[in-house]
Amino acid sequence: MKFVHAIEGLSLWVGRAFGWCILILTLSVSYEVFVRYVLNAPTVWAFDMMIQMYGALFLMCGAYALAQDTHVRADVIYRLLPIKVQAGLDFVLYFLFFFPGILALVWFGYEIASDSWRYKEVSFNSPASIQIYFFKSLIPVAGALLMIQGLAELVRCIMAIRTGAWPERLADVKETEDLLSEADLAEIQAIHPGKN
C-alpha cells in the first residue's frame, strides 16, 4: 500500500496545485466582464488566458480524479457485481483501453508539444499572440501522471482480487451528495440504533 499511497499522494498534490487554476480563471473572467461591460475597455489577453487555465485544470486533474475514483462511469451493472469480479474487470479494462489510450496521449502529446516549442507557437485567437507552447507541454505530462496513477490502480485491483475488498484510498474532499448521504445515514442510525 505504500507504493499505491505514494502515487496517490503525488496525484492529490498535483490536483490540488492545479485546482488553483479555478481561482485564477474566476478572477480573470470577473475582471474581463468588469472592464468590458462597465469600462468599455475589453482586454486582448483574457480569452486566451481563460482557455489555458481551463485546459491546464482539465489536463492536470485527471490523475487526481482517477486517484479519488471520481471519473464518470456507467456502473449500473458493475456495482452489483462482487468486488473480486469488479477488480478483475477493471484490471482487464485498464490493459485493453486505459493504457493504450494514455500511451497515445503521451506519445502524440509529446509530438505536439515539441513541435509547438520548435515553432514558439502563439495563439491565433487574439491579437495578443499569447505563447501556448508552455500549455501544450502539459499534454504529455498529464498523460505520464495518468499512466503512473494507472499503475497504482492495477495494484489496487490485484489487492482487491486477492482479498475481496477494495483498499482504502487517501482521503480528500468529498462530493456534497456523499456528505449528505453519510449525514442521513448517521441520523437514521441515531434514531434507530442497529439499523444499516
Side-chain angles (χ1 to χ4, degrees):
M1 280 307 292
K2 286 183 180 179
F3 170 77
V4 173
H5 283 162
I7 292 173
E8 284 182 2
L10 173 65
S11 297
L12 291 179
W13 183 84
V14 171
R16 289 175 188 156
F18 277 85
W20 286 99
C21 290
I22 293 172
L23 180 61
I24 297 168
L25 185 60
T26 303
L27 293 174
S28 62
V29 169
S30 301
Y31 176 78
E32 176 64 17
V33 167
F34 177 76
V35 298
R36 179 177 296 262
Y37 295 109
V38 175
L39 303 179
N40 198 23
T43 65
V44 294
W45 53 265
F47 179 72
D48 288 321
M49 202 223 22
M50 287 181 242
I51 289 174
Q52 289 188 28
M53 286 295 107
Y54 180 72
L57 177 68
F58 179 79
L59 281 169
M60 298 305 289
C61 290
Y64 172 88
L66 186 58
Q68 292 292 294
D69 194 30
T70 56
H71 280 286
V72 175
R73 74 168 63 177
D75 63 351
V76 176
I77 296 171
Y78 173 88
R79 66 182 166 175
L80 302 174
L81 301 172
I83 290 176
K84 288 186 176 189
V85 176
Q86 289 177 356
L89 188 60
D90 281 359
F91 189 84
V92 170
L93 293 176
Y94 272 112
F95 278 108
L96 288 178
F97 298 106
F98 180 81
F99 285 111
I102 298 302
L103 188 60
L105 177 67
V106 172
W107 183 274
F108 292 110
Y110 176 77
E111 287 182 3
I112 290 168
S114 64
D115 286 345
S116 186
W117 274 91
R118 185 171 34 254
Y119 304 132
K120 300 294 185 209
E121 188 175 6
V122 296
S123 173
F124 59 86
N125 290 324
S126 75
S129 297
I130 302 231
Q131 300 164 341
I132 57 175
Y133 46 91
F134 297 109
F135 171 69
K136 288 193 175 181
S137 300
L138 295 179
I139 299 169
V141 172
L145 286 170
L146 277 165
M147 186 79 70
I148 294 168
Q149 183 59 45
L151 293 173
E153 296 302 315
L154 285 181
V155 172
R156 187 178 291 286
C157 289
I158 292 168
M159 293 172 76
I161 290 169
R162 288 184 181 162
T163 63
W166 287 108
E168 289 293 320
R169 294 183 180 274
L170 290 179
D172 200 40
V173 297
K174 289 187 176 183
E175 294 286 335
T176 304
E177 66 188 42
D178 293 337
L179 292 172
L180 292 173
S181 296
E182 290 172 5
D184 290 343
L185 182 60
E187 187 176 329
I188 290 169
Q189 287 175 342
I191 295 171
H192 304 286
K195 288 197 173 187
N196 292 334

